[in-house]
Amino acid sequence: MIRILAAVILTIATATASAHKPSDAYLTLTRDGAALSGRWDIALRDLDNALTLDTNGDGQITWGEVRAKHGEIAAYALERVRIAWAGAACPLSVNGHAIDVHTDGAYAVLELAGRCSRSAPTLAIDYRLFFDIDPQHRGLLNLIEQGESTSVVFAADNPSRVVGGEAATAWSQFASYLDEGIWHIWLGFDHILFLLSLLLPAVLVRRDGSWRATSSFRRAFVDVAKIVTAFTIAHSITLSLAVMGVVSLPSRWVESAIALSVVLAALNNLYPVVAQGRWIAAFAFGLLHGFGFAGALRDLGLPPNSLALSLVGFNVGVETGQLAIVALFLPFAYALRATWGYRRFLLTAGSAAIATIAAAWFVERAFDLSLFAAAASAS
């Protein structure tokens, strides 16, 4: 069991800083009668993996390198999406290129136009971008028609959807955002590392200057319950405020502060300042993580016609994913709590590894080191 927990911690801790956010692309389509228009935001790092944008191999993708690949990028993307209306294909074309910066780096923007020859209330969309090289990639569609928007998530195991008209209901939006919330917490390495940093000492007690195994599962369970509840309440508050537009913070500040929160939580295991009452730290830092969750929702886009339900769905998804992690972690940790391997390797070495990788995240985000050169040279 030590090997299982060690593998989980080391796999996450050795992930690169740029792996913080999973591979996403954002497809926005507006339907006006038979006409389609929109944009497709695709991460340059993903396009580089598929098409080798960094032709000189210097580790920087410049605007010139992207511009030289415009035709290849457009062809690659359009070959991997199919739209049909009443059984008839609705071919898309790219009529413009740009660069935009999201919270996780620079994106190529393809400006789209298309027209369908037949009319029907729904669109059938088949999305296959990057699934052959990255099964975890997701395509996030925002369809706008008659002033209302519908959001859909495409995944490798669900690449085809029918959208528009009566195909989208408020509850289908809820289900979509529920799924997005689960995947966001599972693939959001910084959120997982923060949670693990707080959970690792939950099966221990601080006594005489050292960590010792707790004698009560109930005590460990209550400690975990306080941490999870505090984190949930805190990030729910700031997530709601940010999505509703009440509070807005620069994404660079938020992402940097989240990385710093992981560093501090991990260091607290090595040099305990807050040995008891870690739920207070969970609440304080949870406020920051809520702004991070809001950034993910802004990228996805919330449908105005079902804003509240979609927001609740995302939040419930985050909690579901979080509780799944806790349910897997706590029984194993409690069983191993008295072993040398848990206290010396998982707690001490694991916390040190978490602090190290989170410190790298902080430096990268605080100093904009993750942004591609193309973002600056295209402006």
Side-chain angles (χ1 to χ4, degrees):
M1 286 187 287
I2 289 179
R3 292 180 180 178
I4 295 174
L5 282 176
V8 171
I9 291 176
L10 290 177
T11 297
I12 296 172
T14 55
T16 62
S18 61
H20 151 64
K21 190 171 182 294
S23 170
D24 295 332
Y26 306 94
L27 176 60
T28 301
L29 290 176
T30 299
R31 181 166 68 165
D32 183 9
L36 294 173
S37 61
R39 58 181 279 173
W40 198 350
D41 292 32
I42 306 173
L44 290 185
R45 64 175 181 274
D46 294 331
L47 288 170
D48 186 42
N49 289 335
L51 302 175
T52 313
L53 302 185
D54 182 17
T55 53
N56 62 8
D58 65 352
Q60 297 290 325
I61 302 175
T62 65
W63 171 242
E65 289 172 327
V66 175
R67 184 170 51 195
K69 294 273 190 173
H70 276 171
E72 193 172 345
I73 292 171
Y76 181 85
L78 294 179
E79 286 173 358
R80 286 160 175 79
V81 65
R82 296 285 184 272
I83 300 177
W85 197 350
C90 304
L92 293 175
S93 62
V94 174
N95 55 16
H97 295 263
I99 295 290
D100 197 3
V101 177
H102 292 234
T103 58
D104 60 325
Y107 280 61
V109 178
L110 309 183
E111 297 172 3
L112 304 174
R115 177 167 291 275
C116 301
S117 58
R118 299 175 60 186
S119 177
T122 60
L123 290 176
I125 301 180
D126 184 73
Y127 180 104
R128 307 274 173 175
L129 185 68
F130 298 133
F131 289 156
D132 55 334
I133 60 176
D134 184 359
Q136 290 188 337
H137 173 80
R138 296 166 305 162
L140 309 177
L141 169 69
N142 186 29
L143 176 66
I144 303 170
E145 52 182 343
Q146 298 180 351
E148 296 186 351
S149 63
T150 301
S151 296
V152 170
V153 180
F154 295 97
D157 59 354
N158 191 17
S160 300
R161 302 287 294 270
V162 176
V163 298
E166 298 300 321
T169 66
W171 286 108
S172 69
Q173 294 289 283
F174 175 87
S176 179
Y177 281 91
L178 174 70
D179 181 71
E180 177 66 17
I182 292 173
W183 281 107
H184 184 77
I185 194 70
W186 283 351
L187 298 178
F189 293 130
D190 50 4
H191 302 303
I192 293 178
L193 291 184
F194 177 74
L195 186 60
L196 284 178
S197 295
L198 295 175
L199 293 179
L200 280 169
V203 295
L204 306 172
V205 292
R206 190 73 178 174
R207 187 180 301 141
D208 299 327
S210 63
W211 291 108
R212 301 174 184 268
T214 183
S215 59
S216 170
F217 181 81
R218 181 180 180 276
R219 179 173 182 170
F221 179 83
V222 170
D223 191 23
V224 169
K226 288 180 179 179
I227 290 171
V228 171
T229 301
F231 186 65
T232 297
I233 293 173
H235 76 63
S236 297
I237 292 171
T238 48
L239 170 62
S240 301
L241 291 176
V243 168
M244 299 298 182
V246 177
V247 180
S248 179
L249 296 178
S251 61
R252 177 181 167 189
W253 293 5
V254 170
E255 295 297 324
S256 300
I258 287 174
L260 185 60
S261 76
V262 180
V263 174
L264 295 177
L267 288 179
N268 188 65
N269 296 338
L270 303 176
Y271 309 100
V273 176
V274 183
Q276 304 297 326
R278 288 190 313 282
W279 65 269
I280 299 174
F283 182 86
F285 290 132
L287 296 173
L288 288 172
H289 286 249
F291 286 113
F293 293 142
L297 268 182
R298 279 193 295 268
D299 283 339
L300 179 59
L302 279 167
N305 54 315
S306 56
L307 176 63
L309 198 58
S310 299
L311 178 58
V312 170
F314 183 84
N315 219 9
V316 170
V318 168
E319 303 323 312
T320 301
Q322 182 175 275
L323 290 175
I325 294 171
V326 171
L328 290 172
F329 171 86
L330 186 57
F332 284 121
Y334 185 77
L336 300 172
R337 72 195 187 285
T339 65
W340 177 91
Y342 187 87
R343 283 176 290 173
R344 295 297 184 186
F345 183 73
L346 291 179
L347 179 67
T348 303
S351 296
I354 290 172
T356 300
I357 194 66
W361 278 337
F362 173 74
V363 171
E364 183 187 53
R365 297 173 190 179
F367 297 98
D368 274 338
L369 298 181
S370 64
L371 297 184
F372 287 91
S377 57
S379 59

